[in-house]
């Protein structure tokens, strides 16, 4: 096994207080592994990690741990792993900057593998700003045949008589038909009643599946909606053996045709669903047989769900850090869990639950993989990207954060910032695993 040593030497720059900044470098005493950050060849040791100090000062009279952590300056809080190749790009490109920069730009590099995903000319642009309402929140379903993006809004005040059962709130489905990356039309989908409080969504057959969270009167469940006008809908499932779901949040379709979805209690906490009658489960529904079963439990608030490209791993986010009433407790999970998909008796099971990643800002909401198996999640600072081993390789920083997003064609992504719709262009070969285009 490689002995990768971390050294935190003081840099030459001082901040006026007599203290230099700390920066992480690496030395590797064995053969380099190309999947790890590049190692420094200047210091090769086999001892445990230590602090390298170029000079003695008054702080050396304090314990070493105090020297490292006692002053809480912002530029000492965010040490990042950097190497020469990444630093060269940060210096040359106007749109890519070091994580240690005081004013970070859109693309934050934690590992060189992120450079391959970004491609030669990554960009972040604002397509729509609409101050009237948070129209860009969830779902994010790109329908290839019609070149149309479907997005569900956050909750919008509604004073109509029918909105009494949803605590005077409504959710709007927006569809955007693209003729080019910047040429498009925007329209509102006229929702049938069974679309009450639509949330997450995914592609299914010739249309899309939406999570209908329901209301105090209408049941929650999954609905199928045609992608073309008049957008006819049909209910796929709205109960677990007679017991009502809580408020389904996100959904993904397996290659065997089964539909997997999460069911947190956000609707109850936000006042438009009755008291829960089921735990906060993850379900598998088979439309061909009607079979519905629980595949995972033990969450604070199960939220986003996706499969790895080979479908051997299922990723599920837990956004328990933020409850539906708006309270935030940072000791609660903001976690991505990974499960192994194990088949027995011709049925899949989720086994070997483990922590895959923890979001350092906000909570990981929507989640998707690219064709290489990298994992993307919408977080409080934008899109966080991990490789399939759980290493954070990069971030796409978006003002105000990004709860959800969607892949398009050839490295295109749309990111939803409530009142804003963003377009991200990565490398042409960075394609979403769901559509693979």
């Amino acid at each position: 096994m490689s002995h990768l040593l971390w050294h935190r030497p003081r840099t030459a720059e001082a901040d006026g207080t007599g203290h230099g900044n700390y920066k992480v470098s690496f030395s590797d005493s064995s053969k380099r592994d190309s999947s790890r950050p590049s190692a420094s060849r200047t210091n090769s040791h086999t001892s445990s990690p230590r602090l390298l100090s170029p000079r003695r000062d008054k702080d050396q009279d304090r314990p070493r741990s105090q020297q490292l952590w006692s002053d809480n300056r912002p530029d000492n809080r965010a040490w990042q792993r950097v190497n020469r190749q990444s630093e060269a790009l940060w210096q040359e490109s106007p749109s890519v900057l070091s994580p240690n920069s005081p004013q970070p730009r859109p693309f934050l590099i934690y590992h060189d593998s992120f450079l391959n995903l970004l491609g030669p000319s990554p960009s972040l642009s604002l397509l729509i700003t609409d101050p009237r309402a948070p129209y860009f929140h969830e779902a994010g379903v790109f329908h290839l045949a019609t070149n149309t993006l479907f997005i569900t809004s956050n909750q919008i005040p509604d004073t109509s008589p029918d909105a009494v059962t949803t605590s005077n709130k409504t959710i709007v489905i927006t569809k955007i038909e693209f003729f080019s990356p910047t040429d498009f039309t925007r329209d509102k989908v006229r929702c049938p009643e069974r679309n009450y409080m639509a949330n997450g969504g995914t592609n299914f057959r010739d249309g899309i599946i939406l999570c209908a969270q329901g209301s105090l009167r209408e049941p929650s469940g999954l609905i199928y909606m045609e992608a073309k006008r008049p957008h006819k809908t049909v209910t796929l499932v709205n109960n677990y053996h007679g017991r009502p779901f809580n408020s389904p949040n996100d959904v993904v379709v397996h290659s065997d045709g089964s539909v997997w979805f999460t069911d947190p209690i956000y609707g109850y906490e936000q006042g438009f669903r009755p008291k829960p009658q089921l735990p906060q489960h993850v379900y598998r529904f088979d439309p061909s047989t009607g079979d519905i079963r629980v595949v995972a439990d033990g969450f604070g608030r199960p939220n986003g769900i996706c499969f790895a490209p080979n479908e051997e791993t299922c990723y599920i986010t837990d956004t328990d850090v933020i409850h539906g009433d708006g309270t935030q407790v940072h000791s609660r999970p903001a976690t991505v869990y990974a499960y192994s998909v194990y088949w027995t008796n011709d049925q899949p099971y989720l086994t070997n639950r483990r922590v895959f990643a923890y979001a350092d800002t906000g909570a990981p909401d929507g989640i998707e993989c690219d064709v290489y198996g990298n994992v993307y999640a919408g977080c409080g600072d934008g899109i966080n990207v991990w490789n399939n081993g759980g290493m954070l390789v990069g971030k796409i920083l978006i003002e105000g954060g990004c709860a959800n997003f969607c892949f398009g064609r050839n490295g295109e992504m749309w990111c939803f910032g409530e009142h804003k719709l963003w377009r991200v262009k990565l490398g042409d070969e960075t394609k979403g695993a769901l559509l693979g285009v």
Side-chain angles (χ1 to χ4, degrees):
M1 180 178 291
S2 170
H3 299 286
L4 189 64
L5 304 186
W6 292 44
H7 305 283
R8 298 189 176 106
R10 293 181 186 271
T11 59
E13 296 81 17
D15 60 3
T17 65
H19 305 284
N21 293 331
Y22 291 102
K23 183 177 178 183
V24 174
S25 62
F26 294 84
S27 70
D28 192 344
S29 60
S30 63
K31 185 177 180 180
R32 283 189 177 185
D33 182 347
S34 61
S35 67
R36 296 180 179 272
S38 298
S40 169
R41 296 182 181 272
T42 58
N43 295 295
S44 181
H45 303 278
T46 57
S47 61
S48 56
R50 60 191 181 90
L51 176 68
L52 302 181
S53 179
R55 59 185 175 83
R56 183 179 181 87
D57 57 36
K58 60 183 180 181
D59 285 337
Q60 287 194 322
D61 294 330
R62 292 184 291 170
R64 183 165 294 175
S65 61
Q66 277 191 311
Q67 294 175 34
L68 283 174
W69 300 108
S70 61
D71 58 12
N72 201 22
R73 298 191 306 276
D75 45 353
N76 275 349
R77 287 185 234 157
W79 293 338
Q80 308 296 347
R81 307 177 210 187
V82 296
N83 54 41
R84 293 177 182 177
Q85 182 178 352
S86 297
E87 288 181 329
L89 178 63
W90 292 329
Q91 293 169 5
E92 295 169 4
S93 172
S95 61
V96 184
L97 211 65
S98 162
N100 291 329
S101 170
Q103 294 182 336
R105 306 271 179 101
F107 302 100
L108 206 57
I109 300 167
Y110 288 75
H111 187 258
D112 284 347
S113 59
F114 193 49
L115 301 174
N116 298 325
L117 303 179
L118 291 177
S121 303
S123 63
L124 171 67
S125 54
L126 182 61
L127 286 185
I128 301 174
T129 299
D130 193 333
R132 297 175 299 171
Y135 289 112
F136 312 110
H137 177 63
E138 275 269 6
V141 183
F142 181 57
H143 188 254
L144 281 173
T146 59
N147 221 41
T148 302
L149 175 65
F150 292 87
I151 311 168
T152 58
S153 72
N154 209 329
Q155 297 171 28
I156 300 172
D158 187 352
T159 57
S160 66
D162 290 340
V164 173
T165 63
T166 55
S167 296
N168 296 112
K169 307 167 188 173
T170 191
I171 285 178
V172 173
I173 302 175
T174 296
K175 65 175 185 177
I176 300 175
E177 184 177 0
F178 286 93
F179 307 102
S180 76
T182 57
D183 182 15
F184 52 85
T185 60
R186 175 185 171 190
D187 197 4
K188 184 169 78 169
V189 175
R190 309 297 171 179
C191 298
E193 285 189 358
R194 61 171 61 93
N195 273 10
Y196 267 108
M197 308 299 278
N199 201 54
T202 192
N203 302 82
F204 186 67
R205 298 174 182 169
D206 295 328
I208 65 177
I209 289 178
L210 290 170
C211 294
Q213 297 179 91
S215 69
L216 294 172
R217 180 183 62 196
E218 300 293 329
S220 61
L222 303 180
I223 62 166
Y224 171 76
M225 184 179 78
E226 294 180 354
K228 299 179 181 179
R229 289 187 178 90
H231 302 294
K232 294 180 181 179
T233 62
V234 61
T235 299
L236 297 179
V237 62
N238 62 10
N239 68 89
Y240 177 76
H241 300 291
R243 295 169 66 178
F245 295 122
N246 298 318
S247 46
N249 189 280
D250 199 13
V251 58
V252 67
V253 177
H254 191 275
S255 62
D256 68 358
S258 61
V259 183
W260 302 55
F261 62 100
T262 60
D263 188 34
I265 61 169
Y266 282 126
Y268 170 69
E269 291 179 318
Q270 293 165 358
F272 63 86
R273 286 292 291 150
K275 186 176 180 179
Q277 297 184 39
L278 285 167
Q280 299 181 86
H281 287 149
V282 177
Y283 295 91
R284 177 186 183 269
F285 172 66
D286 187 344
S288 65
T289 64
D291 176 61
I292 177 78
R293 63 186 181 90
V294 176
V295 290
D297 63 3
F299 298 93
R301 298 292 183 277
N303 202 313
I305 182 171
C306 76
F307 288 103
N310 60 13
E311 297 185 327
E312 293 179 359
T313 304
C314 179
Y315 299 99
I316 302 172
T317 67
D318 190 338
T319 52
D320 192 31
V321 65
I322 304 173
H323 284 192
D325 58 6
T327 59
Q328 297 188 37
V329 178
H330 294 288
S331 60
R332 297 190 298 228
T335 307
V336 180
Y337 293 102
Y339 294 80
S340 299
V341 182
Y342 173 73
W343 286 78
T344 182
N345 298 320
D346 295 325
Q347 293 294 318
Y349 289 81
L350 296 185
T351 65
N352 188 25
R353 167 174 165 147
R354 64 268 189 197
V355 171
F356 175 79
Y358 182 87
D360 61 80
T361 306
D365 194 329
I367 188 167
E368 292 195 33
C369 288
D370 64 23
V371 292
Y372 305 110
N374 298 296
V375 180
Y376 301 64
C379 299
D381 53 357
I383 306 296
N384 289 200
V385 185
W386 298 270
N387 66 14
N388 58 10
M391 175 192 289
L392 181 67
V393 298
K395 292 185 178 185
I396 305 170
L397 299 177
I398 297 176
E399 178 187 358
C402 170
N404 286 275
F405 60 97
C406 176
F407 279 96
R409 288 186 174 91
N410 301 321
E412 186 175 40
M413 295 174 66
W414 295 284
C415 304
F416 313 139
E418 302 299 323
H419 293 271
K420 297 178 179 180
L421 175 63
W422 301 86
R423 178 182 183 267
V424 174
K425 182 62 175 73
L426 306 176
D428 288 347
E429 300 305 313
T430 306
K431 306 174 187 295
L434 189 63
L435 299 177
V437 296

